[in-house]
Amino acid sequence: MNVAESKAREPHRWGRWQQAGGGFRLTGSDGHSNDYTLPSGNFFPAFSSAQGGATLSGAYSRTSSSGLQGGGTTVTLFVDKIRFTPDGQFVEGSNMGAMGSGVYAGRKTGGSGRYRLSGTTLELTYADGRVKRTSFAYGATGRPAHPSKDMVFIGGDTFVTD
């Protein structure tokens, strides 16, 4: 990620954070601040691969949907899945479906190759030679919090064990 380029291109997505007692103060680009205590609500620690382990094993999925109205109803469903093996292989796939007013559309995509974890980066090297680098973190469990391989964050999306 090129931070300078991202801040210049999308300044509204950037703010500041600072540690405040037992939590954090997040200040958005509009100057509005909120205080959060860990672990409360949607805020909890996440762990790098150095803290949770540099190999993955098992299947993860992410599901999202939407419903739109306006002269009818349209419903969409997105399912993303990825399976990792301890020897560094991965297989991924996505399904998308939309239905509304008697019309249905769908799409499936997929890929496979090798993966590598390094700190907070996941590198996927596809069989056709493409390389994708994205952010990665393990979720947390317990008190005190420690890494959990039941929830991972890939490129800002939450995946849970399938």
Side-chain angles (χ1 to χ4, degrees), residues 15-63:
R16 297 182 321 272
W17 72 272
Q18 67 186 92
Q19 193 164 3
F24 295 89
R25 176 169 294 128
L26 303 180
T27 304
S29 61
D30 62 358
H32 182 74
S33 294
N34 288 301
D35 292 330
Y36 299 95
T37 302
L38 295 177
S40 67
N42 290 328
F43 289 89
F44 52 87
F47 296 91
S48 73
S49 64
Q51 297 163 296
T55 60
L56 290 164
S57 182
Y60 293 86
S61 64
R62 177 182 88 89
T63 303

Side-chain angles (χ1 to χ4, degrees), residues 50-91:
Q51 297 163 296
T55 60
L56 290 164
S57 182
Y60 293 86
S61 64
R62 177 182 88 89
T63 303
S64 61
S65 64
S66 67
L68 303 172
Q69 295 180 339
T73 300
T74 302
V75 178
T76 60
L77 177 66
F78 301 90
V79 179
D80 297 310
K81 293 187 174 197
I82 188 164
R83 175 177 295 279
F84 297 98
T85 60
D87 66 352
Q89 302 288 319
F90 78 92
V91 176

